[in-house]
Amino acid sequence: MASSLSLYAGAGFNVSGVLARALAVSNHSWEYGTAAEALLELDNPELSVFGDKPFPGDELPPIVAEISSLQYAGQFIRLDNETLVDGDGAVGDPAALGVSAVLLGQQDDQYSAAAQRQADFILQKAPRYKNGAISHREALAELWADFTYMAPPFLAYQGVATNNQSLLREAGRQCQLQQDILRPQSHKPTRGLWRHIIGPDDAQDLGLWATGNAWAAAGMTRVLATMLKWGPSKAWKTEQDQLKRSIIDILDGAAHGATKGKPPLLCNYLDDGTWFGDAASTALIAAVTYRMAMLAPTLTKARHLQFADRLRKAVIAHVDNATGLVAPTVNSLDWKSRTPSAQGSPEGQSFTVLISYRYLTSLLSILLWSICPRRTARLLSPSPSSPKPTATIVCATINASSNFLRSIDSWLANLPDEIIIVTTPPAHNQQRISELLSSLSHRPPPRTRITVLAAEAANKRQQLALGFRRSASEVTVIADDDTTWSPSTLRALLSPFTHLPRLGAVFPEVQIRPSSRGTDFGTWEELARIRLFGDAIDGRTSMLLDGGVFCGSGTTAAYRAAILRDEAFQLFFTAEEALGRNRENKKLNAGDDQTLTRWLCQAKWDVLVLPHFDYGVVGPEEIAVSGGGREGVMARGEVATTMRDSWRHFGQVLRWSRSDWLANLRAAGPGGEGRVAWRRQPFTAWTRVAWCLGSFTFVVEFLRLWGSGKAGWAISSKKEGDAGEVLAHVVLSRLLR
């Protein structure tokens, strides 16, 4: 666990210390569940509903290794009862361990059965309020805001596990039913906030308890993430919009309530400034806001993010990094006490851990969405009746393998007008490709032609240029021979061309698929995924700031075909030389994606980046896109490729880096090409310069540290840990950059 937690050193506080204390002091059912969820989101975010792809193939993720969160939760789950743990009279609290039980059920059916019994108990045996809202208490109908974090997220996840859409809908419906009773009918600025408890008069707490509202907002955010990430529920716009609005209303109410008390911590009761500041609710409200910035970026405004950042900093200021204690907080067993708990609270510890989850990696996205409202918006709404541009796929290949058939099958499913495959001499290569095509698992549709050509030389640029000239379509799509598409990828790539006459290219964000391990990634593949994630951040950043891209995708990209057939472009593309040497054998082979990107900038064509759908789903077949100051809606599309899972991948990266160096020197240098780039897309031009500088500084950091060692603090047996400090310094400095 420690090794993964060290990755969060940039969170600004001792995350591992805070988490360790959360695990140590949790003693009640809801505390166990909250700590388990925090540990899951921190240590294995890919398994959380906030992960990039939590439901691969619309199923639960496989558990192929020991998961620290599940090891922790498993010790408390009982397998012989109708509830997962003793809830001390509460209906919802035992369900806090429900997601853990469902995941453990991937390896042991006893946990699956226990999870189903827990769901049945909630749905069939718990009392209900008069409007159908499930009670938080077993003995009588009593609604608590806390319930929304415990039960609905579990019911939603159980719905995915059992492929039960009705159960997932019920999870969302329960959030709304709870809100209908607990949220007061008011026109005050705090009208979005919930009361804590409504039931018999002697048990009611009609105050706007900060932690109760944080529980409710966080629970609805988990249900929302489940709906957005699971295929069958991605189209449920009504349910999703209701949840988004309810969450944002709580955030708005909390922000208004913060003005009444003694900032920076939120008051224990948000509508009463005489209460003490509470670090627990403050942490969870901030954590919810960061998640909403990714789930509902158009609703999460700059004011929300600025507010969340103030809250995050306030909580960090109240963390004792030596002990991991977060205080002051409310006493979770006596929330009406006017005396704050100097020893913190178990859930407060877990809430604070949630702040660090993906904070560093999402910080740039948060910044960009805070910029978006200031830019001009335009809606691209492709209609089924809109004429779709004709499209030709051009693929340059040399030694196509049987895996090439998988790629072609995925392209054919998109119904292009033509596929042009350009191979190399000698002639038997053409014959080999033709024989390979005869083994396709699906016969090409009548409307799609497949043409096999041979270029004069084994040079990717020469091969592509031949394909560009032979393409008769309105849009030409470049695709590598190891690239696969989802069935709607081509529609996603073509749609913007019908709306934007100055659009020159559409670049999708590419994902890595495992080459030979099923769903498992090797070490080199994981490094490639990290590299592509960084490229995606760079692309989205430059898109939103100046409409440019550092380098368009070379794996798959759609271009207006007239650009590629232009004689001036053909000469620019095929005659470019390495380092300006006028020798035939120095004609560039690789770097075609960089050259294409530079030409688009010089010719002043617009470009768009098509985000991977897991990051911005709008509807069942739609995805938010942005570029050049525009925002729109496009068909969902996914592009996946493979990487070598061996040390040879390092050689490929070096070749890419060499191409990047040449392109960056030309695109952002002092010549005419550089002047156009700096005037038209200054931020993109700067990223090119920063990339070059970064390559030098990485080497310089090692040399400087080595020199320091020679000067007197060299790594030795007398100073254990120096090696780790050196490595940590270099790696962390690169990560922060």
Side-chain angles (χ1 to χ4, degrees):
M1 186 190 307
S3 60
S4 63
L5 290 177
S6 64
L7 295 176
Y8 295 85
F13 64 96
N14 180 4
V15 180
S16 57
V18 173
L19 178 60
R21 186 176 179 87
L23 302 180
V25 300
S26 294
N27 289 305
H28 298 88
S29 55
W30 75 89
E31 296 166 353
Y32 298 146
T34 306
E37 177 65 21
L39 183 53
L40 183 71
E41 292 187 28
L42 183 73
D43 218 17
N44 295 96
E46 73 281 1
L47 299 180
S48 159
V49 293
F50 300 110
D52 295 338
K53 201 166 187 177
F55 306 120
D58 291 331
E59 296 181 349
L60 294 185
I63 306 301
V64 295
E66 291 185 350
I67 306 300
S68 53
S69 171
L70 303 185
Q71 289 178 310
Y72 168 77
Q75 62 186 317
F76 305 114
I77 296 174
R78 52 191 186 186
L79 303 175
D80 58 353
N81 203 284
E82 58 186 356
T83 61
L84 295 173
V85 65
D86 182 12
D88 194 24
V91 171
D93 291 347
L97 284 166
V99 170
S100 298
V102 173
L103 286 172
L104 285 165
Q106 295 286 85
Q107 296 178 316
D108 188 338
D109 290 342
Q110 293 184 85
Y111 288 96
S112 296
Q116 186 59 55
R117 286 194 298 271
Q118 177 66 70
D120 292 341
F121 179 82
I122 294 172
L123 295 169
Q124 299 172 15
K125 295 188 177 182
R128 300 233 178 184
Y129 206 72
K130 56 187 177 183
N131 71 334
I134 298 173
S135 170
H136 185 58
R137 303 297 300 174
E138 294 181 15
L140 71 170
E142 188 173 275
L143 304 187
W144 292 42
D146 316 34
F147 174 88
T148 310
Y149 186 85
M150 314 304 167
F154 159 59
L155 295 177
Y157 206 76
Q158 179 71 357
V160 173
T162 57
N163 196 26
N164 187 339
Q165 296 184 37
S166 297
L167 184 54
L168 178 51
R169 286 188 188 276
E170 178 63 16
R173 191 176 80 95
Q174 279 300 318
C175 293
Q176 297 306 310
L177 294 176
Q178 300 285 330
Q179 174 183 269
D180 290 345
I181 302 300
L182 291 170
R183 189 166 77 174
Q185 300 299 315
S186 170
H187 296 290
K188 296 180 179 180
T190 56
R191 60 184 176 275
L193 298 175
W194 293 21
R195 301 191 189 280
H196 182 199
I197 302 171
I198 288 185
D201 292 343
D202 59 346
Q204 288 195 131
D205 179 9
L206 301 182
L208 306 179
W209 188 41
T211 303
N213 278 277
W215 282 125
M220 289 189 288
T221 304
R222 292 170 65 192
V223 175
L224 173 63
T226 305
M227 283 189 183
L228 288 172
K229 302 294 181 70
W230 191 42
S233 58
K234 286 179 179 178
W236 298 358
K237 192 173 188 313
T238 300
E239 291 89 341
Q240 293 168 13
D241 286 349
Q242 288 175 341
L243 288 168
K244 291 175 184 178
R245 189 68 263 165
S246 297
I247 298 164
I248 293 296
D249 284 347
I250 290 178
L251 298 182
D252 285 339
H256 181 80
T259 64
K260 293 178 173 294
K262 300 172 182 177
L265 294 178
L266 296 175
C267 289
N268 186 39
Y269 280 83
L270 290 167
D271 57 340
D272 187 347
T274 65
W275 279 89
F276 56 80
D278 171 45
S281 57
T282 303
L284 190 53
I285 288 292
V288 168
T289 308
Y290 290 137
R291 285 152 182 74
M292 287 298 290
M294 307 302 290
L295 298 176
T298 56
L299 286 178
T300 312
K301 307 298 184 183
R303 68 176 188 275
H304 297 119
L305 298 168
Q306 293 163 0
F307 175 56
D309 210 42
R310 288 199 301 272
L311 299 184
R312 180 184 63 85
K313 292 175 181 177
V315 173
I316 291 174
H318 288 82
V319 175
D320 183 338
N321 285 313
T323 64
L325 172 66
V326 183
T329 67
V330 63
N331 181 341
S332 55
L333 299 178
D334 188 9
W335 50 85
K336 289 186 178 180
S337 171
R338 284 278 181 174
T339 303
S341 172
Q343 297 303 310
S345 68
E347 57 263 56
Q349 298 290 135
S350 298
F351 295 165
T352 303
V353 171
L354 292 175
I355 291 181
S356 67
Y357 166 67
R358 289 198 164 188
Y359 171 70
L360 289 177
T361 56
S362 64
L363 184 60
L364 188 53
S365 296
I366 290 169
L367 170 64
L368 296 180
W369 279 114
S370 70
I371 295 171
C372 282
R374 304 191 185 104
R375 303 183 71 87
T376 303
R378 177 178 179 181
L379 184 66
L380 308 178
S381 27
S383 166
S385 61
S386 299
K388 185 180 74 171
T390 54
T392 293
I393 299 172
V394 174
C395 175
T397 185
I398 298 179
N399 298 313
S401 67
S402 57
N403 289 331
F404 187 28
L405 295 178
R406 178 181 179 183
S407 300
I408 297 176
D409 274 330
S410 74
W411 303 342
L412 289 172
N414 284 262
L415 300 177
D417 295 275
E418 185 176 14
I419 297 176
I420 298 177
I421 302 170
V422 188
T423 185
T424 59
H428 67 75
N429 278 341
Q430 274 183 281
Q431 182 179 355
R432 182 172 177 274
I433 294 292
S434 299
E435 292 173 353
L436 201 61
L437 293 175
S438 65
S439 304
L440 283 170
S441 58
H442 298 93
R443 183 182 298 276
R447 61 164 290 177
T448 301
R449 301 184 306 277
I450 299 182
T451 304
V452 181
L453 305 174
E456 295 179 355
N459 181 291
K460 185 179 181 182
R461 295 196 184 205
Q462 300 289 341
Q463 292 172 252
L464 288 175
L466 175 59
F468 297 160
R469 293 193 296 272
R470 292 290 297 269
S471 169
S473 299
E474 298 167 273
V475 174
T476 296
V477 184
I478 301 174
D480 282 351
D481 60 8
D482 61 349
T483 301
T484 55
W485 296 355
S486 64
S488 59
T489 294
L490 186 60
R491 180 161 63 91
L493 294 171
L494 296 180
S495 181
F497 288 99
T498 63
H499 299 270
L500 304 173
R502 285 300 303 170
L503 181 63
V506 175
F507 302 125
E509 288 179 354
V510 180
Q511 304 298 301
I512 300 293
R513 71 169 187 267
S515 58
S516 60
R517 290 181 175 79
T519 59
D520 296 339
F521 290 96
T523 300
W524 293 99
E525 290 171 324
E526 288 288 358
L527 292 174
R529 293 177 74 195
I530 293 172
R531 186 177 187 274
L532 284 179
F533 179 72
D535 290 345
I537 290 178
D538 288 342
R540 295 186 191 191
T541 305
S542 56
M543 268 280 95
L544 289 170
L545 293 180
D546 63 18
V549 290
F550 176 85
C551 178
S553 169
T555 303
T556 288
Y559 296 87
R560 199 171 291 275
I563 299 173
L564 306 183
R565 288 193 291 262
D566 180 73
E567 291 184 6
F569 165 76
Q570 288 265 330
L571 180 63
F572 179 82
F573 186 65
T574 58
E576 190 172 18
E577 299 163 347
L579 300 178
R581 296 179 184 177
N582 188 20
R583 299 176 186 173
E584 185 61 30
N585 63 351
K586 290 300 180 180
K587 291 288 191 294
L588 281 177
N589 181 0
D592 52 286
D593 47 2
Q594 282 278 16
T595 301
L596 283 160
T597 306
R598 287 162 46 213
W599 178 266
L600 292 170
C601 176
Q602 295 303 301
K604 300 181 180 179
W605 286 97
D606 291 333
V607 296
L608 284 177
V609 169
L610 174 64
H612 184 248
F613 68 83
D614 278 340
Y615 301 141
V617 172
V618 176
E621 289 293 327
E622 299 175 333
I623 181 168
V625 299
S626 57
R630 305 177 182 89
E631 291 181 22
V633 173
M634 289 179 53
R636 185 180 76 187
E638 182 178 16
V639 176
T641 188
T642 57
M643 293 289 176
R644 291 180 176 177
D645 189 27
S646 72
W647 65 269
R648 295 180 183 275
H649 175 70
F650 184 68
Q652 180 66 61
V653 172
L654 289 178
R655 288 190 289 274
W656 286 334
S657 298
R658 179 187 62 189
S659 299
D660 288 343
W661 259 100
L662 292 172
N664 292 336
L665 290 173
R666 288 165 175 159
E673 189 176 335
R675 287 195 295 272
V676 173
W678 281 102
R679 284 197 306 268
R680 188 164 186 261
Q681 296 164 347
F683 182 83
T684 304
W686 164 245
T687 62
R688 293 178 178 276
V689 173
W691 185 92
C692 293
L693 294 175
S695 301
F696 279 120
T697 58
F698 187 68
V699 176
V700 169
E701 283 164 353
F702 272 112
L703 293 176
R704 181 173 61 80
L705 290 168
W706 178 80
S708 298
K710 299 290 286 185
W713 61 275
I715 302 169
S716 67
S717 58
K718 295 181 180 180
K719 297 198 69 176
E720 296 180 4
D722 275 356
E725 292 175 7
V726 171
L727 184 61
H729 171 83
V730 173
V731 172
L732 183 59
S733 64
R734 307 307 299 164
L735 178 65
L736 292 177
R737 187 193 71 80

